[in-house]
Amino acid sequence: MAEEGSAEGEEGHSPPAPTLDLEVGEHVGAALRAIRQSRGLTVQDIADKTRIRPAYLEAVESLRLKDLPSRPFTIGYIRSYAQALGFPGDAAVARFKADDPDRNDALRAPVGVRRMADPRLRVMMLAGMLLLSAILAWNLIRRGTLEEESRGPTRLITADPPRAAPIGPISLGSPLPAPVESNAPPPYLTPGLESQLSAALPEGLSSGEDPTLLDLGDTFTPQGQVSGAPAGGGRLVLQARRPTALIVWGPDGAAWFARSLAAGEAYRAPEGARITFETVEAGVLAIFVDNRALGVLPAGRTSASSIALSPPS
C-alpha cells in the first residue's frame, strides 16, 4: 500500500517549469514574448513601463521590422523591453544582431514623421515662370518693331538718273563720332506684374519663417501630453513645434524614451539626470529652461548638461 501511495505521489507531482531566457524561441522577439507571457504580463504592462507604443512592442515580438522605425529606434526598443523584464539590455541587442546581421541600409525616417513641402517654393517657381515668359514675349515684340523701323516704308525702286561729273575738288568735313551702341534695349517691367507677385505670397510671411511650425511663444505652455519627469521634477523641457521623433539616451547607453511627439507634446528631463537627446530634424523641438524659451534643438545628439549651461536667449 505504501509503495502504491508513493507511486501515486510521484505521478501527481508536476515537473518544474523550464527557465526562460533570451535564447529561447526563433528570434529575440519570440523570447521576449515567451518571458512576458510566463510572468502573466500583458503588452500594455510593458508599454506602461517602457513608454513605448503597444503597436511597436507587438512588432518587436513578431520581429516585423517593416512596421518599426529605423534600426537605432528598434535597438532601443529591444533594450528597454529586456530591461523591463529584468534581463540585460546588451544581451537582448546582441541576440537581435545575431538574428538580423545583414541590415546595413540607410536610416529611414521615423514612423509618423511626415515631410512637408514649403508652400513658398511653388509660389516662387510660378512667379519666376511668369517673369521669364513676360521678358521673352517683350523681346520678341521689341525685335519685330525694330526690324520694321529699320526697313522703312516700301517704295518702288527705279533706275537712278545719270550723275554729272564733279567739277573741281571736293571738301570733306570732320569725321563723325561712332554711333552709340543700341543693341541692348532698356530694361522693361510689365505694368502690374510686381503687385501681382507680391499679392501671391502669403500675408505676413517673411523669408525666415516656416508656416508648418507651431508658434509656442516665450513661455512654456503645455499643449498636449508631457512625458518624462512630473511637473516640478525638472527645469528642462523640450516641446514639439510639429510632429517629430525624439530619443532620450541614459548615461548607460539605454534608451530611456523613444517615441513620436505630436505638435505641442513635450518631454520634461529629470533634474540632474545625465541624459542625451537625439532627433533627426533641426529646429523642430523648442527648448525651455525654467519655463523660458532658450532656442531650438539641433539635429543629432545633444547632452542635457550643455543645454542647462547655456544662457537664456
Side-chain angles (χ1 to χ4, degrees):
M1 296 295 291
E3 293 179 357
E4 293 179 358
S6 176
E8 291 177 357
E10 291 179 358
E11 292 177 357
H13 179 69
S14 61
T19 303
L20 299 179
D21 55 21
L22 295 176
E23 298 301 324
V24 301
E26 57 181 345
H27 50 70
V28 66
L32 293 173
R33 180 175 56 224
I35 297 171
R36 172 183 63 78
Q37 293 175 347
S38 68
R39 298 183 181 180
L41 300 175
T42 64
V43 175
Q44 187 61 47
D45 294 333
I46 304 299
D48 294 338
K49 290 183 179 181
T50 60
R51 307 289 293 179
I52 300 175
R53 293 182 179 180
Y56 290 165
L57 294 176
E58 293 175 354
V60 167
E61 290 183 349
S62 301
L63 212 61
R64 299 193 309 270
L65 301 180
K66 64 180 182 179
D67 296 334
L68 291 168
S70 58
R71 190 175 180 86
F73 280 88
T74 303
I75 291 176
Y77 293 161
I78 294 175
R79 187 190 303 274
S80 299
Y81 196 149
Q83 291 174 346
L85 295 174
F87 288 89
D90 293 339
V93 172
R95 173 72 191 277
F96 168 69
K97 292 181 178 179
D99 295 334
D100 184 34
D102 296 328
R103 287 180 56 83
N104 194 24
D105 55 343
L107 291 178
R108 303 194 308 272
V111 175
V113 175
R114 182 177 56 180
R115 297 185 178 274
M116 304 181 69
D118 192 342
R120 296 174 296 178
L121 181 60
R122 181 176 298 178
V123 175
M124 294 175 62
M125 293 178 61
L126 179 59
M129 293 176 62
L130 291 175
L131 183 60
L132 182 62
S133 300
I135 293 176
L136 181 61
W138 182 88
N139 279 307
L140 293 175
I141 296 174
R142 181 64 176 170
R143 177 173 296 180
T145 304
L146 293 176
E147 291 178 355
E148 291 180 358
E149 292 178 353
S150 62
R151 288 196 298 265
T154 304
R155 59 181 180 179
L156 183 62
I157 301 177
T158 59
D160 292 337
R163 299 181 179 179
I167 301 174
I170 300 176
S171 60
L172 301 176
S174 58
L176 297 176
V180 179
E181 182 65 34
S182 59
N183 291 336
Y188 177 80
L189 180 63
T190 303
L193 180 61
E194 184 176 3
S195 60
Q196 292 180 8
L197 295 180
S198 300
L201 292 174
E203 184 176 359
L205 183 64
S206 63
S207 59
E209 296 178 352
D210 188 343
T212 65
L213 295 178
L214 184 65
D215 186 7
L216 301 177
D218 297 330
T219 305
F220 171 66
T221 303
Q223 301 186 28
Q225 180 180 355
V226 180
S227 304
R235 301 169 52 211
L236 174 60
V237 178
L238 301 181
Q239 190 172 19
R241 305 179 66 191
R242 72 179 176 208
T244 188
L246 172 66
I247 303 179
V248 180
W249 300 98
D252 57 350
W256 285 17
F257 177 86
R259 58 166 288 188
S260 298
L261 299 178
E265 291 186 345
Y267 175 84
R268 181 181 286 109
E271 186 66 27
R274 294 182 294 108
I275 58 179
T276 302
F277 305 113
E278 182 177 1
T279 181
V280 297
E281 295 184 284
V284 177
L285 288 169
I287 303 172
F288 293 90
V289 176
D290 295 329
N291 293 331
R292 296 180 55 192
L294 192 66
V296 293
L297 197 68
R301 294 197 176 191
T302 304
S303 63
S305 58
S306 64
I307 297 176
L309 296 176
S310 302
S313 58

